[in-house]
Amino acid sequence: QVQLVESGGGLVQPGGSLRLSCAASGFTFSNYAMRWYRQAPGKGRELVATITSTGPFTNYADSVKGRFTISRDNAKNTLYLQMNSLKPEDTAVYYCNTVGPDYWGQGTQVTVSS
């Protein structure tokens, strides 16, 4: 059974940091590029970051470039998103996604507010 389980979301003040995790199971995680998406209330889904299957290449949305870092640990079947210098406009539900088979997790809420 394929599963992607996000964790690490929460409430943080502007300027703060969070680290999201996405634990994968039920498929060969190391074979696939992975993505983080987010969806803010009343808005469409936005691609945040992409990482290749073995991790050397990454790509970011302009809105998060320089603040967010996507990484992965294929030995642990886990994807990460380090988010620094958070802004209120980063508030959204964050989802991990598998490029190709199009698997999705249930999402984790990130709220940036004072």
Side-chain angles (χ1 to χ4, degrees), residues 54-94:
T54 55
F57 299 110
T58 59
N59 195 44
Y60 298 92
D62 287 343
S63 58
V64 306
K65 203 170 290 183
R67 300 187 297 121
F68 289 12
T69 303
I70 187 172
S71 63
R72 65 192 297 162
D73 186 337
N74 285 344
K76 295 183 178 180
N77 291 340
T78 303
L79 177 72
Y80 302 101
L81 186 68
Q82 178 67 44
M83 306 187 296
N84 298 329
S85 302
L86 282 161
K87 304 175 182 180
E89 51 263 43
D90 295 318
T91 295
V93 179
Y94 285 72

Side-chain angles (χ1 to χ4, degrees), residues 8-24:
L11 174 64
V12 63
Q13 292 187 342
S17 298
L18 283 174
R19 188 195 198 201
L20 306 184
S21 298
C22 170

Side-chain angles (χ1 to χ4, degrees), residues 33-66:
M34 296 292 295
R35 289 173 171 161
W36 284 100
Y37 283 84
R38 66 186 181 185
Q39 187 163 19
K43 295 189 177 181
R45 191 176 294 169
E46 177 189 16
L47 175 60
V48 174
T50 304
I51 187 167
T52 52
S53 59
T54 55
F57 299 110
T58 59
N59 195 44
Y60 298 92
D62 287 343
S63 58
V64 306
K65 203 170 290 183

